[in-house]
Short mmCIF file of all heavy atoms in Angstrom, two decimals:
data_model
loop_
_atom_site.label_atom_id
_atom_site.label_comp_id
_atom_site.label_asym_id
_atom_site.label_seq_id
_atom_site.Cartn_x
_atom_site.Cartn_y
_atom_site.Cartn_z
N THR A 1 167.04 33.60 -93.74
CA THR A 1 167.71 34.21 -92.66
C THR A 1 167.85 35.81 -93.06
O THR A 1 167.54 36.23 -94.11
CB THR A 1 169.15 33.75 -92.35
OG1 THR A 1 170.08 33.98 -93.49
CG2 THR A 1 169.04 32.24 -92.05
N ASN A 2 168.54 36.62 -92.13
CA ASN A 2 168.75 38.07 -92.36
C ASN A 2 170.20 38.20 -92.52
O ASN A 2 171.05 37.61 -91.84
CB ASN A 2 168.18 38.76 -91.24
CG ASN A 2 166.59 38.67 -91.05
OD1 ASN A 2 165.97 38.68 -92.11
ND2 ASN A 2 166.20 38.47 -89.86
N VAL A 3 170.63 39.27 -93.23
CA VAL A 3 172.03 39.85 -93.27
C VAL A 3 172.01 41.29 -92.63
O VAL A 3 171.16 42.09 -93.05
CB VAL A 3 172.51 39.94 -94.73
CG1 VAL A 3 173.78 40.67 -94.80
CG2 VAL A 3 172.66 38.49 -95.29
N TYR A 4 172.88 41.38 -91.63
CA TYR A 4 172.88 42.67 -90.97
C TYR A 4 174.21 43.50 -91.27
O TYR A 4 175.27 42.91 -91.41
CB TYR A 4 172.93 42.46 -89.42
CG TYR A 4 171.65 42.19 -88.79
CD1 TYR A 4 171.07 40.82 -88.95
CD2 TYR A 4 170.87 43.17 -88.10
CE1 TYR A 4 169.84 40.48 -88.35
CE2 TYR A 4 169.62 42.66 -87.64
CZ TYR A 4 169.20 41.44 -87.65
OH TYR A 4 167.89 41.15 -87.09
N ASP A 5 174.06 44.76 -91.36
CA ASP A 5 175.12 45.65 -91.52
C ASP A 5 175.20 46.62 -90.31
O ASP A 5 174.31 47.61 -90.31
CB ASP A 5 175.22 46.37 -92.88
CG ASP A 5 176.41 47.26 -93.05
OD1 ASP A 5 177.34 47.13 -92.25
OD2 ASP A 5 176.50 48.02 -94.07
N LEU A 6 175.96 46.53 -89.38
CA LEU A 6 175.99 47.22 -88.14
C LEU A 6 176.93 48.54 -88.37
O LEU A 6 178.24 48.27 -88.60
CB LEU A 6 176.44 46.47 -86.89
CG LEU A 6 175.57 45.13 -86.69
CD1 LEU A 6 176.21 44.51 -85.46
CD2 LEU A 6 174.18 45.42 -86.54
N GLY A 7 176.35 49.68 -88.13
CA GLY A 7 177.09 50.85 -88.61
C GLY A 7 177.07 50.91 -90.02
O GLY A 7 178.21 51.23 -90.63
N CYS A 8 175.96 50.92 -90.68
CA CYS A 8 175.89 50.79 -92.06
C CYS A 8 176.22 52.07 -92.83
O CYS A 8 176.29 52.09 -93.96
CB CYS A 8 174.50 50.28 -92.51
SG CYS A 8 173.15 51.38 -91.98
N SER A 9 176.25 53.18 -92.07
CA SER A 9 176.60 54.49 -92.75
C SER A 9 175.79 54.81 -93.91
O SER A 9 174.48 54.69 -93.79
CB SER A 9 178.08 54.70 -93.00
OG SER A 9 178.53 53.72 -93.83
N THR A 10 176.41 55.02 -95.05
CA THR A 10 175.68 55.45 -96.22
C THR A 10 175.18 54.25 -97.16
O THR A 10 174.80 54.49 -98.26
CB THR A 10 176.38 56.47 -97.07
OG1 THR A 10 177.54 55.88 -97.48
CG2 THR A 10 176.73 57.66 -96.18
N GLY A 11 175.41 52.96 -96.68
CA GLY A 11 174.93 51.79 -97.45
C GLY A 11 175.83 51.19 -98.43
O GLY A 11 175.40 50.32 -99.15
N THR A 12 177.09 51.60 -98.52
CA THR A 12 177.99 51.16 -99.52
C THR A 12 178.09 49.56 -99.42
O THR A 12 178.10 48.91 -100.45
CB THR A 12 179.35 51.76 -99.47
OG1 THR A 12 179.23 53.23 -99.59
CG2 THR A 12 180.35 51.12 -100.38
N THR A 13 178.25 49.07 -98.24
CA THR A 13 178.43 47.64 -97.96
C THR A 13 177.16 46.87 -98.48
O THR A 13 177.29 45.80 -99.12
CB THR A 13 178.91 47.30 -96.49
OG1 THR A 13 179.95 48.09 -96.15
CG2 THR A 13 178.90 45.87 -96.37
N MET A 14 175.99 47.31 -98.10
CA MET A 14 174.72 46.70 -98.48
C MET A 14 174.63 46.73 -100.03
O MET A 14 174.16 45.73 -100.58
CB MET A 14 173.62 47.32 -97.91
CG MET A 14 173.54 46.88 -96.42
SD MET A 14 171.74 47.24 -95.67
CE MET A 14 172.07 49.17 -95.51
N ILE A 15 174.96 47.74 -100.67
CA ILE A 15 174.94 47.86 -102.10
C ILE A 15 175.83 46.78 -102.85
O ILE A 15 175.47 46.06 -103.73
CB ILE A 15 175.24 49.28 -102.66
CG1 ILE A 15 174.16 50.23 -102.22
CG2 ILE A 15 175.49 49.31 -104.17
CD1 ILE A 15 174.45 51.79 -102.46
N GLY A 16 177.00 46.64 -102.15
CA GLY A 16 177.95 45.74 -102.67
C GLY A 16 177.40 44.23 -102.44
O GLY A 16 177.38 43.43 -103.45
N MET A 17 176.80 43.97 -101.35
CA MET A 17 176.36 42.69 -101.03
C MET A 17 175.14 42.24 -101.88
O MET A 17 174.86 41.16 -102.21
CB MET A 17 176.04 42.51 -99.53
CG MET A 17 177.27 42.41 -98.63
SD MET A 17 176.90 41.92 -96.91
CE MET A 17 175.80 43.30 -96.38
N ASN A 18 174.44 43.36 -102.22
CA ASN A 18 173.17 43.12 -103.19
C ASN A 18 173.41 42.41 -104.43
O ASN A 18 172.56 41.82 -105.01
CB ASN A 18 172.52 44.47 -103.27
CG ASN A 18 171.27 44.50 -103.95
OD1 ASN A 18 170.22 43.66 -103.61
ND2 ASN A 18 171.01 45.23 -105.04
N THR A 19 174.69 42.63 -104.88
CA THR A 19 175.07 42.08 -106.21
C THR A 19 175.49 40.59 -106.04
O THR A 19 175.58 39.89 -107.07
CB THR A 19 176.30 42.78 -106.74
OG1 THR A 19 177.41 42.65 -105.95
CG2 THR A 19 175.93 44.25 -106.89
N THR A 20 175.56 40.12 -104.86
CA THR A 20 176.09 38.78 -104.66
C THR A 20 175.24 37.75 -103.79
O THR A 20 175.48 36.55 -103.85
CB THR A 20 177.57 38.63 -103.86
OG1 THR A 20 177.35 39.25 -102.65
CG2 THR A 20 178.64 39.49 -104.79
N ILE A 21 174.28 38.36 -103.17
CA ILE A 21 173.47 37.53 -102.29
C ILE A 21 172.01 37.47 -102.89
O ILE A 21 171.54 38.50 -103.41
CB ILE A 21 173.31 38.19 -100.91
CG1 ILE A 21 174.64 38.12 -100.22
CG2 ILE A 21 172.25 37.63 -100.03
CD1 ILE A 21 174.76 38.72 -98.84
N PRO A 22 171.30 36.33 -102.89
CA PRO A 22 170.01 36.10 -103.45
C PRO A 22 169.05 37.16 -102.85
O PRO A 22 169.08 37.59 -101.66
CB PRO A 22 169.61 34.76 -102.95
CG PRO A 22 170.91 34.06 -102.75
CD PRO A 22 171.86 35.06 -102.27
N HIS A 23 168.20 37.67 -103.69
CA HIS A 23 167.30 38.80 -103.55
C HIS A 23 166.20 38.63 -102.57
O HIS A 23 165.55 39.58 -102.24
CB HIS A 23 166.88 39.45 -104.85
CG HIS A 23 167.96 40.30 -105.52
ND1 HIS A 23 167.64 41.38 -106.21
CD2 HIS A 23 169.25 40.05 -105.68
CE1 HIS A 23 168.75 41.95 -106.72
NE2 HIS A 23 169.75 41.23 -106.32
N ASP A 24 165.91 37.44 -102.24
CA ASP A 24 164.88 37.22 -101.12
C ASP A 24 165.44 37.14 -99.68
O ASP A 24 164.64 36.99 -98.88
CB ASP A 24 164.07 35.94 -101.52
CG ASP A 24 164.87 34.75 -101.74
OD1 ASP A 24 166.16 34.90 -101.76
OD2 ASP A 24 164.28 33.67 -101.96
N ILE A 25 166.63 37.33 -99.61
CA ILE A 25 167.23 37.51 -98.20
C ILE A 25 167.11 38.98 -97.76
O ILE A 25 167.63 39.81 -98.39
CB ILE A 25 168.74 36.98 -98.25
CG1 ILE A 25 168.66 35.51 -98.54
CG2 ILE A 25 169.47 37.30 -96.87
CD1 ILE A 25 170.08 34.83 -98.56
N LYS A 26 166.66 39.17 -96.59
CA LYS A 26 166.51 40.54 -96.10
C LYS A 26 167.68 41.17 -95.62
O LYS A 26 168.51 40.42 -94.96
CB LYS A 26 165.48 40.51 -95.05
CG LYS A 26 164.98 41.90 -94.45
CD LYS A 26 163.95 41.69 -93.42
CE LYS A 26 163.54 43.15 -92.90
NZ LYS A 26 162.49 43.17 -91.83
N PHE A 27 167.93 42.40 -95.88
CA PHE A 27 169.04 43.15 -95.36
C PHE A 27 168.54 44.03 -94.20
O PHE A 27 167.61 44.75 -94.44
CB PHE A 27 169.75 44.18 -96.41
CG PHE A 27 170.66 43.35 -97.38
CD1 PHE A 27 170.73 41.95 -97.42
CD2 PHE A 27 171.37 44.04 -98.31
CE1 PHE A 27 171.59 41.28 -98.24
CE2 PHE A 27 172.22 43.31 -99.19
CZ PHE A 27 172.36 42.00 -99.14
N ILE A 28 169.30 44.23 -93.16
CA ILE A 28 168.91 45.18 -92.10
C ILE A 28 170.15 45.95 -91.71
O ILE A 28 171.22 45.54 -91.40
CB ILE A 28 168.51 44.34 -90.72
CG1 ILE A 28 167.28 43.53 -91.06
CG2 ILE A 28 168.22 45.29 -89.60
CD1 ILE A 28 166.82 42.55 -90.04
N GLY A 29 170.16 47.26 -91.95
CA GLY A 29 171.10 48.20 -91.63
C GLY A 29 170.77 48.94 -90.31
O GLY A 29 169.77 49.48 -90.04
#
């Protein structure tokens, strides 16, 4: 599946989630 960050701004939330979520799951900001 995909993980979405709506209103992702400068990416802080995606950087945090990157450390906890398997790396083959796609992020969409």
